[in-house]
């Protein structure tokens, strides 16, 4: 997905609670009030000397100081303030993480002296042990005051909101067994200043170390931002956002927990969606969106009763009910929506949740319309989050609505609204729509009916522009079917939208109307890409991103790099570039990669492709685009040259076939490159990770598709495939000709 991400933020389990504790914790609303009212309790302070705590990958030592527990919630102490001398040490699990730690802290390992900390500890046994230490009596009044200050600051901090600490504490004290492995800590270090460390059992990578960098702005800029915030908030947007919340989260280290043998043991969300059934109404007058989203969920973690959902923070949740229409307790923090079930479901039991919500999410400006959030306009659940959809829309008659899915029925209701029910049977990662005034045209490419909806801006570019867009959609679809195999649907809807990014969903492509402009020679001046390769990139996502998904953010580069590489091929093999001045998909890659950050580092050195969206950091706003899109595509182009350009698509076609409707990881991609680093552009060292080689001059590229991203029944092994690839110029199968001499794509 070619989406511009704003700050993408992140959002110990041993003892099951006793029956008594659970009975006391049965009212989540009163628990939440206790969390809100919590404060350090000097009367229960203890003195600590050389206490060691292991949390995930961190070794924490509380060498000498006092620890003040925060008042209990549901009879349980979860938060504690430490003042004194402590230390945290973390050994990164691999070279990539060591590199990131080095980038942000100046050293490849963490070993920092601490003076203050707030701990959020789910593990009851650890808290009980620590609180048995000698009482600090009488506690120095200055220390008590300082503890109060430290805790109050932490409680009001943007980090605590962003990481939804309240939600985690609530889940823990409400007796959600899987949440008791939760650990969070705010630290003040002598060298590094303030930073955070987390162990979240429901994340694929449970361990996170990082730092929130507040927005840097002058007083004048701040006043301007405040005015903008106020304006948006009067329109029902950016609700609850304060100036202090704006900034950038830098991830210094992220990793999965490790098993005894040192292998990674990823976490996962407690529930995985099996189906989304959405009923959406757009109001006649103000285009306010009201939704009823029913999610059929399957438990993925035994014993969990908390369902974590995400929903755009400007959508207000009215109520959440279960399958028997009983109201359920929910907690909202930013885009996090935590729902507590009355009990943990049995292993094979399906849970049905209905979320009723509304908000102002359709932007309208001088006759132009755009959906403000194409992903979280309905609640999402799960780690893999691939499910079929059944969606019914109601909207004002004067407007058109286009969306994913196949129309099954529709018409006009007695309320004067148009309605349509659309279904997408293939499990997919998202469903989107757009509403507005469109000029609708249709065309056909092979077995696919293409519907194009042009907004006024693109419509006004003239017949030739519209025809070219339609032709490019059809031609690229046919070309990619030849390269990668059949497109799985018989319809494709393409809509142009006045926003600054283009995006692809399964069977539904939104094109930025800005990116559809062709200004002739001025394209170069404004850095505009040839609109034909922009379109091809989004069409290629039907295969790379949708048919073949990604397992985690570390694998998302495959989708973007493949889409960019595919559009590069389309441009090279199918387009006449005579008299055209648009840039290519990887134009200027050398410059963007060697460009330097404020502290003089080359963008390329900020990290490998597998860091994905983590490349958005306070160090650079351009690294994600440069490394994932440009370098990723250049890497694939070089690989294709070393493998033989006629062989490469065969391998890719096989990957799509075997991995269809699944998520793959970088290790499963047959061209696994160990670190993703290109090195100097002209020397590709070991670009191909060869699993094994067959005799007779054929190179066997083998790969497998992992099912971990899917909720699969036991005993279903992952499918595997292999493609024999004749060697280019090699006689005995031992050497690959290194041929990327002219690796200068357009
Ligand atoms: Zn993309």
């Amino acid at each position: 997905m070619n989406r511009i991400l704003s700050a993408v933020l992140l959002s110990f389990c041993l003892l099951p609670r006793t029956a008594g504790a659970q009975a006391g914790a049965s009212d989540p609303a009163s628990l939440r009030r206790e969390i809100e009212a919590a404060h350090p309790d000097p009367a229960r302070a203890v003195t600590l000397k050389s206490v060691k705590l292991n949390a995930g990958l961190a070794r924490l030592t509380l060498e000498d100081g006092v620890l003040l527990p925060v008042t209990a919630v549901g009879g349980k102490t979860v938060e504690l303030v430490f003042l004194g001398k402590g230390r945290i040490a973390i050994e990164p699990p691999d070279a990539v993480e060591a590199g990131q730690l080095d980038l942000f802290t100046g050293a490849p390992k963490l070993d920092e002296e601490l003076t203050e900390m707030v701990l959020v500890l789910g593990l009851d046994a650890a808290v009980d042990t620590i609180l048995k230490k000698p009482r600090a009596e009488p506690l120095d009044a200055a220390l008590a005051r300082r503890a109060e200050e430290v805790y109050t600051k932490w409680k009001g901090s943007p980090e605590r909101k962003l990481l939804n600490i309240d939600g985690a504490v609530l889940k823990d004290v409400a007796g959600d067994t899987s949440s008791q492995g939760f650990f969070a800590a705010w630290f003040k270090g002598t060298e590094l200043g303030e930073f955070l460390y987390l162990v979240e059992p429901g994340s694929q990578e449970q361990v996170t170390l990082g730092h929130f960098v507040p927005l840097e702005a002058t007083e004048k800029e701040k006043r301007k931002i405040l005015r903008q915030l106020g304006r948006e908030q009067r329109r029902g947007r950016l609700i609850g956002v304060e100036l202090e919340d704006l900034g950038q989260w830098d991830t210094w280290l992220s990793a999965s927990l490790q098993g005894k043998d040192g292998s990674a043991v990823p976490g996962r969300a407690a529930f995985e969606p099996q189906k989304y059934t959405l009923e959406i109404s757009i109001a006649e007058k103000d285009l306010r969106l009201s939704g009823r989203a029913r999610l059929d969920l399957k438990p993925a973690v035994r014993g969990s009763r908390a369902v974590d959902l995400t929903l755009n923070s400007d959508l207000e949740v009215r109520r959440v009910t279960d399958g028997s229409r009983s109201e359920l307790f929910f907690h909202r923090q930013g885009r996090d929506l935590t729902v507590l079930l009355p009990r943990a479901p049995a292993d094979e039991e399906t849970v049905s949740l209905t979320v009723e919500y509304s908000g102002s999410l359709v932007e309208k400006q001088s006759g132009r319309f755009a959906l403000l959030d194409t992903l979280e306009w309905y609640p999402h659940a799960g780690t893999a989050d691939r499910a079929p959809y059944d969606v019914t829309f109601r909207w004002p008659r004067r407007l058109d609505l286009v969306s994913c899915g196949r129309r099954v029925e529709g018409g006009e209701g007695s309320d004067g609204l148009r309605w349509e029910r659309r279904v997408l049977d293939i499990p997919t990662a998202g469903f989107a729509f757009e509403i507005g005034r469109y000029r609708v045209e249709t065309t056909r490419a092979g077995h696919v009916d293409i519907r194009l909806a042009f907004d006024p801006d693109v419509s006004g570019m003239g017949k030739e522009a519209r025809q070219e867009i339609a032709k490019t959609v059809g031609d690229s679809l046919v070309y990619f079917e030849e390269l990668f195999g059949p497109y799985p649907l018989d319809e494709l809807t393409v809509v142009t939208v006045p926003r600054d990014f283009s995006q692809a969903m399964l069977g539904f492509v939104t094109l930025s109307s800005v990116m559809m402009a062709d200004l002739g020679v001025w394209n170069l001046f404004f850095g505009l890409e040839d609109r034909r390769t922009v379109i091809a990139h989004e069409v290629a996502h039907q295969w790379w991103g949708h048919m073949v998904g990604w397992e985690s953010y570390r694998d998302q580069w495959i989708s973007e790099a493949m889409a960019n590489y595919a559009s590069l091929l389309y441009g090279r093999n199918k387009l006449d570039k005579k008299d055209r001045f648009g840039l290519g998909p990887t134009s200027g890659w050398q410059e963007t990669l060697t460009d330097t950050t404020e502290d003089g580092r080359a963008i390329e050195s900020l990290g490998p492709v597998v860091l994905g969206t983590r490349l958005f950091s306070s160090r650079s706003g351009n690294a994600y685009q440069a490394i994932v899109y440009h370098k990723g595509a250049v890497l694939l182009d070089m690989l294709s040259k070393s493998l033989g350009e006629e062989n490469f698509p065969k391998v890719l076609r096989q990957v799509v076939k075997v991995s269809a409707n699944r998520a793959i990881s970088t290790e499963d991609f047959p061209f696994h490159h160990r670190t993703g680093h290109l090195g100097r552009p002209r020397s590709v060292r070991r670009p191909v990770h060869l699993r094994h080689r067959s005799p007779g001059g054929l190179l066997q590229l083998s790969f497998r598709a992992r099912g971990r991203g899917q909720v699969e029944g036991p005993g279903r092994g992952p499918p595997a495939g292999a493609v024999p690839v004749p060697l280019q110029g090699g006689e005995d199968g031992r050497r690959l000709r290194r041929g990327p001499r002219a690796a200068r794509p357009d």
Side-chain angles (χ1 to χ4, degrees):
M1 277 174 230
N2 199 357
R3 48 175 134 122
I4 294 197
L5 296 169
S6 51
V8 175
L9 298 157
L10 294 172
S11 55
F12 297 71
C13 160
L14 299 180
L15 301 179
R17 321 289 326 276
T18 61
Q22 257 186 0
S26 59
D27 176 14
S30 69
L31 293 175
R32 186 162 56 188
R33 282 194 296 275
E34 288 184 54
I35 295 171
E36 281 160 11
H39 58 89
D41 182 2
R44 290 162 66 215
V46 293
T47 52
L48 297 184
K49 281 217 176 1
S50 302
V51 170
K52 289 189 167 51
L53 274 175
N54 285 338
L57 302 183
R59 292 189 312 284
L60 192 60
T61 317
L62 310 178
E63 288 169 13
D64 188 8
V66 291
L67 184 80
L68 288 86
V70 168
T71 47
V73 179
K76 180 176 162 160
T77 299
V78 188
E79 294 186 85
L80 308 122
V81 181
F82 176 82
L83 304 173
K85 190 175 166 202
R87 208 159 191 92
I88 180 170
I90 298 179
E91 190 82 42
D94 55 49
V96 171
E97 293 307 321
Q100 291 301 292
L101 202 51
D102 195 14
L103 172 69
F104 291 108
T105 70
K109 289 182 195 180
L110 184 77
D111 187 6
E112 172 82 352
E113 188 182 315
L114 308 166
T115 56
E116 292 177 341
M117 60 183 91
V118 180
L119 305 176
V120 186
L121 238 149
L123 185 63
D124 303 6
V127 175
D128 292 347
T129 309
I130 298 176
L131 291 180
K132 285 197 183 105
K133 299 288 176 190
R135 279 289 156 93
E137 285 174 327
L139 182 70
D140 182 75
L143 280 178
R145 248 193 335 270
R146 182 61 195 153
E148 183 72 40
E149 281 167 17
V150 167
Y151 185 72
T152 305
K153 184 172 173 235
W154 157 244
K155 203 125 180 239
S157 66
E159 292 95 320
R160 194 180 155 111
K161 278 200 242 173
L162 293 169
L163 303 168
N164 191 17
I165 300 292
D166 281 1
V169 173
L170 186 69
K171 285 193 285 180
D172 175 27
V173 296
D176 182 56
T177 48
S178 67
S179 298
Q180 285 168 35
F182 183 82
F183 177 87
W186 168 89
F187 295 121
K188 187 168 182 186
T190 50
E191 299 285 325
L192 298 171
E194 297 178 15
F195 58 98
L196 283 117
Y197 177 75
L198 287 132
V199 182
E200 297 171 288
S203 298
Q204 284 177 302
E205 295 182 0
Q206 301 97 330
V207 175
T208 309
L209 177 73
H211 169 65
F212 180 73
V213 184
L215 181 81
E216 249 183 60
T218 62
E219 287 307 312
K220 193 177 164 197
E221 287 164 338
K222 281 183 182 168
R223 283 196 298 275
K224 190 174 167 198
I225 294 167
L226 276 174
R227 279 200 300 276
Q228 283 170 339
L229 266 180
R231 216 163 30 236
E232 289 300 316
Q233 289 175 346
R234 283 193 293 281
R235 299 162 71 202
R237 313 233 171 91
L238 303 178
I239 303 299
V241 174
E242 296 170 49
L243 190 62
E244 299 74 55
D245 299 336
L246 305 176
Q248 177 70 49
W249 173 264
D250 283 346
T251 302
W252 294 355
L253 179 145
S254 175
S256 294
L257 291 172
Q258 292 170 348
K260 284 204 174 79
D261 59 353
S263 62
V265 184
R268 62 171 313 146
F271 293 87
E272 206 57 56
Q274 287 196 302
K275 188 178 181 183
Y276 286 94
T277 309
L278 313 176
E279 287 172 43
I280 305 298
S281 289
I282 310 287
E284 177 73 48
K285 197 165 144 272
D286 54 3
L287 302 180
R288 192 176 167 85
L289 182 152
S290 306
R292 261 174 69 90
R294 183 181 137 156
L295 281 69
D296 294 318
L297 303 163
K298 193 175 165 184
V301 176
R302 183 175 288 177
S304 187
R305 58 175 285 227
V307 183
D308 291 321
L309 305 171
T310 53
L311 178 69
N312 184 292
S313 56
D314 289 342
L315 293 170
E316 192 186 330
V317 176
R318 193 158 64 86
R319 62 181 195 150
V320 183
T321 49
D322 65 10
S324 59
R325 305 192 65 82
S326 308
E327 278 204 38
L328 299 175
F329 176 85
F330 64 90
H331 172 73
R332 200 80 205 281
Q333 176 69 75
R335 59 192 276 269
D336 291 314
L337 169 64
T338 309
V339 178
L340 288 180
L341 303 172
R343 60 173 176 82
D347 286 358
E348 292 302 313
E349 195 180 346
T350 305
V351 175
S352 162
L353 285 188
T354 301
V355 181
E356 293 172 42
Y357 62 96
S358 63
S360 166
L361 217 57
V362 178
E363 171 85 336
K364 182 192 171 203
Q365 256 177 13
S366 47
R368 287 158 176 80
F369 301 80
L371 183 63
L372 289 173
D373 185 341
T374 56
L375 299 167
E376 290 181 353
W377 58 272
Y378 60 92
H380 279 268
T383 299
D385 192 16
R386 284 171 82 92
Y389 283 80
D390 186 329
V391 185
T392 304
F393 292 104
R394 283 180 176 74
W395 74 95
R397 208 164 31 179
R398 62 196 160 90
L399 298 175
D400 300 311
L401 187 142
V402 287
S403 85
C404 293
R406 174 174 48 86
R407 184 184 193 273
V408 283
E409 51 184 332
E412 204 166 297
S414 52
D415 51 4
L417 294 179
R418 279 166 79 182
W419 69 278
E420 201 168 78
R421 181 170 157 229
R422 298 184 74 90
V423 170
L424 192 50
D425 302 316
I426 300 174
T428 183
F431 195 102
F433 76 94
E434 293 294 337
I435 187 166
R437 290 206 175 88
Y438 303 115
R439 179 186 180 119
V440 177
E441 294 177 6
T442 55
T443 177
R444 198 174 161 85
H447 63 103
V448 184
D449 283 322
I450 299 170
R451 189 154 71 124
L452 299 121
F454 296 108
D455 75 312
D457 291 331
V458 175
S459 200
M461 288 174 195
K463 191 175 173 194
E464 223 171 288
R466 293 195 306 274
Q467 278 176 346
E468 184 177 83
I469 292 169
K471 179 173 167 20
T472 308
V473 171
D475 288 357
S476 61
L477 189 72
V478 168
Y479 179 63
F480 295 145
E481 281 203 316
E482 283 165 21
L483 284 184
F484 308 133
Y487 168 71
L489 305 171
D490 291 322
E491 304 178 66
L492 174 67
T493 300
V494 178
V495 55
T496 63
V497 187
R499 63 162 85 94
D500 54 5
F501 63 92
S502 301
Q503 192 177 49
M505 298 287 181
L506 186 61
F508 187 68
V509 167
T510 53
L511 298 171
S512 155
S513 50
V514 182
M515 292 161 88
M516 290 303 103
D518 186 347
L519 308 177
V521 283
W522 290 97
N523 282 346
L524 300 175
F525 182 77
F526 289 104
L528 275 182
E529 184 175 337
D530 186 327
R531 65 181 167 220
R532 298 172 298 175
T533 53
V534 171
I535 295 168
H537 175 109
E538 299 306 333
V539 171
H541 272 313
Q542 299 302 318
W543 288 263
W544 304 101
H546 290 297
M547 287 176 69
V548 180
W550 62 83
E551 255 185 30
S552 95
Y553 72 88
R554 290 188 195 255
D555 313 308
Q556 193 179 350
W557 75 272
I558 299 173
S559 153
E560 292 305 348
M562 274 305 310
N564 237 19
Y565 170 68
S567 83
L568 189 71
L569 282 186
Y570 177 71
R572 198 181 278 161
N573 298 329
K574 296 284 169 185
L575 293 184
D576 176 6
K577 306 220 190 71
K578 204 155 57 78
D579 301 327
R580 295 297 285 254
F581 298 94
L583 302 175
T586 57
S587 292
W589 64 273
Q590 296 95 332
E591 288 78 10
T592 56
L593 288 171
T594 53
D595 203 6
T596 51
T597 61
E598 271 177 28
D599 58 351
R601 287 170 188 265
I603 295 286
E604 201 273 336
S605 73
L606 293 179
V609 289
V610 292
L611 286 173
T613 49
R614 275 171 68 187
L615 292 163
F616 281 110
S617 78
S618 62
R619 297 303 162 111
S620 166
N622 304 327
Y624 175 69
Q625 184 85 15
I627 293 169
V628 169
Y629 286 68
H630 284 181
K631 180 170 146 179
V634 171
L635 183 73
L636 291 166
D637 194 36
M638 287 179 174
L639 279 167
S640 93
K641 285 180 173 137
S642 33
L643 280 173
E645 280 175 90
E646 67 287 4
N647 299 315
F648 197 56
K650 288 185 203 157
V651 182
L652 296 175
R653 195 183 170 95
Q654 194 65 14
V655 173
V656 174
K657 196 171 166 192
V658 168
S659 317
N661 299 321
R662 291 172 169 275
I664 65 167
S665 81
T666 304
E667 283 77 22
D668 300 331
F669 199 54
F671 321 107
H672 170 211
H673 182 250
R674 280 178 190 284
T675 64
H677 270 292
L678 256 185
R680 277 176 311 211
R682 289 198 181 185
S683 63
V684 182
R685 292 196 322 123
R686 293 183 56 79
V688 186
H689 181 65
L690 302 172
R691 292 269 160 98
H692 70 264
R693 198 184 284 137
S694 70
L698 287 181
L699 185 72
Q700 193 88 356
L701 276 174
S702 62
F703 54 88
R704 66 209 160 82
R706 271 203 293 205
R708 214 196 68 219
Q710 299 282 98
V711 183
E712 294 287 354
R716 287 188 53 188
V723 182
V725 179
L727 281 172
Q728 195 190 30
E731 339 64 51
D732 59 5
R734 261 174 295 161
R735 288 182 74 87
L736 258 182
R737 196 172 74 180
R738 302 256 159 82
R741 266 183 307 128
R744 258 194 84 99
D746 17 306

mmCIF file of all heavy atoms in Angstrom, residues 314-329:
data_model
loop_
_atom_site.group_PDB
_atom_site.id
_atom_site.type_symbol
_atom_site.label_atom_id
_atom_site.label_comp_id
_atom_site.label_asym_id
_atom_site.label_seq_id
_atom_site.Cartn_x
_atom_site.Cartn_y
_atom_site.Cartn_z
ATOM 1 N N ASP A 314 -11.298 9.511 15.860
ATOM 2 C CA ASP A 314 -12.391 10.473 15.742
ATOM 3 C C ASP A 314 -13.750 9.799 15.631
ATOM 4 O O ASP A 314 -14.769 10.483 15.528
ATOM 5 C CB ASP A 314 -12.164 11.386 14.531
ATOM 6 C CG ASP A 314 -11.012 12.344 14.776
ATOM 7 O OD1 ASP A 314 -10.644 12.516 15.959
ATOM 8 O OD2 ASP A 314 -10.472 12.889 13.801
ATOM 9 N N LEU A 315 -13.774 8.487 15.609
ATOM 10 C CA LEU A 315 -15.056 7.786 15.575
ATOM 11 C C LEU A 315 -15.445 7.446 17.009
ATOM 12 O O LEU A 315 -14.702 6.780 17.724
ATOM 13 C CB LEU A 315 -14.953 6.531 14.706
ATOM 14 C CG LEU A 315 -14.744 6.826 13.223
ATOM 15 C CD1 LEU A 315 -14.413 5.564 12.457
ATOM 16 C CD2 LEU A 315 -15.966 7.509 12.612
ATOM 17 N N GLU A 316 -16.601 7.926 17.384
ATOM 18 C CA GLU A 316 -17.050 7.756 18.759
ATOM 19 C C GLU A 316 -17.832 6.451 18.872
ATOM 20 O O GLU A 316 -18.746 6.200 18.082
ATOM 21 C CB GLU A 316 -17.946 8.949 19.098
ATOM 22 C CG GLU A 316 -18.267 9.088 20.548
ATOM 23 C CD GLU A 316 -19.274 10.216 20.761
ATOM 24 O OE1 GLU A 316 -19.276 11.186 19.959
ATOM 25 O OE2 GLU A 316 -20.050 10.108 21.701
ATOM 26 N N VAL A 317 -17.469 5.636 19.831
ATOM 27 C CA VAL A 317 -18.159 4.352 20.004
ATOM 28 C C VAL A 317 -19.338 4.562 20.945
ATOM 29 O O VAL A 317 -19.184 5.079 22.052
ATOM 30 C CB VAL A 317 -17.200 3.294 20.577
ATOM 31 C CG1 VAL A 317 -17.941 1.996 20.852
ATOM 32 C CG2 VAL A 317 -16.049 3.055 19.609
ATOM 33 N N ARG A 318 -20.536 4.181 20.467
ATOM 34 C CA ARG A 318 -21.737 4.354 21.294
ATOM 35 C C ARG A 318 -21.916 3.143 22.204
ATOM 36 O O ARG A 318 -22.117 3.257 23.385
ATOM 37 C CB ARG A 318 -22.955 4.530 20.390
ATOM 38 C CG ARG A 318 -24.185 5.023 21.133
ATOM 39 C CD ARG A 318 -25.144 5.691 20.146
ATOM 40 N NE ARG A 318 -25.628 4.734 19.168
ATOM 41 C CZ ARG A 318 -26.685 3.948 19.387
ATOM 42 N NH1 ARG A 318 -27.362 4.031 20.500
ATOM 43 N NH2 ARG A 318 -27.067 3.088 18.453
ATOM 44 N N ARG A 319 -21.844 1.969 21.613
ATOM 45 C CA ARG A 319 -21.907 0.773 22.464
ATOM 46 C C ARG A 319 -21.336 -0.433 21.749
ATOM 47 O O ARG A 319 -21.222 -0.462 20.520
ATOM 48 C CB ARG A 319 -23.320 0.512 22.954
ATOM 49 C CG ARG A 319 -24.314 0.232 21.857
ATOM 50 C CD ARG A 319 -25.660 0.007 22.500
ATOM 51 N NE ARG A 319 -26.559 -0.616 21.530
ATOM 52 C CZ ARG A 319 -27.543 -1.436 21.843
ATOM 53 N NH1 ARG A 319 -27.748 -1.773 23.099
ATOM 54 N NH2 ARG A 319 -28.310 -1.924 20.898
ATOM 55 N N VAL A 320 -21.001 -1.437 22.549
ATOM 56 C CA VAL A 320 -20.494 -2.700 22.024
ATOM 57 C C VAL A 320 -21.350 -3.802 22.642
ATOM 58 O O VAL A 320 -21.575 -3.809 23.858
ATOM 59 C CB VAL A 320 -19.014 -2.918 22.399
ATOM 60 C CG1 VAL A 320 -18.482 -4.205 21.776
ATOM 61 C CG2 VAL A 320 -18.150 -1.731 21.968
ATOM 62 N N THR A 321 -21.867 -4.687 21.789
ATOM 63 C CA THR A 321 -22.702 -5.779 22.301
ATOM 64 C C THR A 321 -22.150 -7.114 21.834
ATOM 65 O O THR A 321 -21.399 -7.184 20.857
ATOM 66 C CB THR A 321 -24.158 -5.638 21.798
ATOM 67 O OG1 THR A 321 -24.119 -5.428 20.380
ATOM 68 C CG2 THR A 321 -24.870 -4.473 22.457
ATOM 69 N N ASP A 322 -22.543 -8.183 22.533
ATOM 70 C CA ASP A 322 -22.102 -9.510 22.105
ATOM 71 C C ASP A 322 -23.225 -10.194 21.318
ATOM 72 O O ASP A 322 -24.246 -9.569 21.012
ATOM 73 C CB ASP A 322 -21.634 -10.337 23.307
ATOM 74 C CG ASP A 322 -22.753 -10.638 24.287
ATOM 75 O OD1 ASP A 322 -23.932 -10.368 23.955
ATOM 76 O OD2 ASP A 322 -22.448 -11.141 25.387
ATOM 77 N N GLY A 323 -23.045 -11.477 21.009
ATOM 78 C CA GLY A 323 -23.998 -12.201 20.161
ATOM 79 C C GLY A 323 -25.397 -12.249 20.756
ATOM 80 O O GLY A 323 -26.385 -12.342 20.021
ATOM 81 N N SER A 324 -25.503 -12.160 22.094
ATOM 82 C CA SER A 324 -26.835 -12.200 22.703
ATOM 83 C C SER A 324 -27.339 -10.781 23.007
ATOM 84 O O SER A 324 -28.217 -10.582 23.831
ATOM 85 C CB SER A 324 -26.800 -13.055 23.978
ATOM 86 O OG SER A 324 -25.853 -12.504 24.879
ATOM 87 N N ARG A 325 -26.743 -9.801 22.347
ATOM 88 C CA ARG A 325 -27.110 -8.390 22.446
ATOM 89 C C ARG A 325 -26.909 -7.789 23.839
ATOM 90 O O ARG A 325 -27.492 -6.761 24.174
ATOM 91 C CB ARG A 325 -28.552 -8.155 21.955
ATOM 92 C CG ARG A 325 -28.796 -8.671 20.536
ATOM 93 C CD ARG A 325 -30.101 -8.175 19.960
ATOM 94 N NE ARG A 325 -30.119 -6.719 19.777
ATOM 95 C CZ ARG A 325 -29.592 -6.077 18.745
ATOM 96 N NH1 ARG A 325 -28.949 -6.751 17.805
ATOM 97 N NH2 ARG A 325 -29.679 -4.780 18.642
ATOM 98 N N SER A 326 -26.087 -8.443 24.663
ATOM 99 C CA SER A 326 -25.768 -7.855 25.968
ATOM 100 C C SER A 326 -24.676 -6.812 25.766
ATOM 101 O O SER A 326 -23.740 -7.029 24.982
ATOM 102 C CB SER A 326 -25.214 -8.908 26.928
ATOM 103 O OG SER A 326 -26.073 -9.992 26.986
ATOM 104 N N GLU A 327 -24.798 -5.711 26.489
ATOM 105 C CA GLU A 327 -23.784 -4.660 26.364
ATOM 106 C C GLU A 327 -22.491 -5.078 27.042
ATOM 107 O O GLU A 327 -22.508 -5.663 28.121
ATOM 108 C CB GLU A 327 -24.299 -3.354 26.982
ATOM 109 C CG GLU A 327 -25.189 -2.614 26.017
ATOM 110 C CD GLU A 327 -25.282 -1.125 26.274
ATOM 111 O OE1 GLU A 327 -24.257 -0.503 26.637
ATOM 112 O OE2 GLU A 327 -26.386 -0.591 26.104
ATOM 113 N N LEU A 328 -21.389 -4.767 26.398
ATOM 114 C CA LEU A 328 -20.076 -5.130 26.940
ATOM 115 C C LEU A 328 -19.323 -3.866 27.347
ATOM 116 O O LEU A 328 -19.496 -2.802 26.736
ATOM 117 C CB LEU A 328 -19.259 -5.881 25.885
ATOM 118 C CG LEU A 328 -19.861 -7.196 25.389
ATOM 119 C CD1 LEU A 328 -19.010 -7.754 24.263
ATOM 120 C CD2 LEU A 328 -19.943 -8.219 26.526
ATOM 121 N N PHE A 329 -18.461 -4.011 28.346
ATOM 122 C CA PHE A 329 -17.632 -2.887 28.769
ATOM 123 C C PHE A 329 -16.538 -2.652 27.721
ATOM 124 O O PHE A 329 -15.947 -3.588 27.201
ATOM 125 C CB PHE A 329 -16.980 -3.201 30.121
ATOM 126 C CG PHE A 329 -16.037 -2.133 30.569
ATOM 127 C CD1 PHE A 329 -16.506 -1.023 31.256
ATOM 128 C CD2 PHE A 329 -14.674 -2.220 30.283
ATOM 129 C CE1 PHE A 329 -15.627 -0.016 31.644
ATOM 130 C CE2 PHE A 329 -13.799 -1.218 30.661
ATOM 131 C CZ PHE A 329 -14.283 -0.111 31.350
#
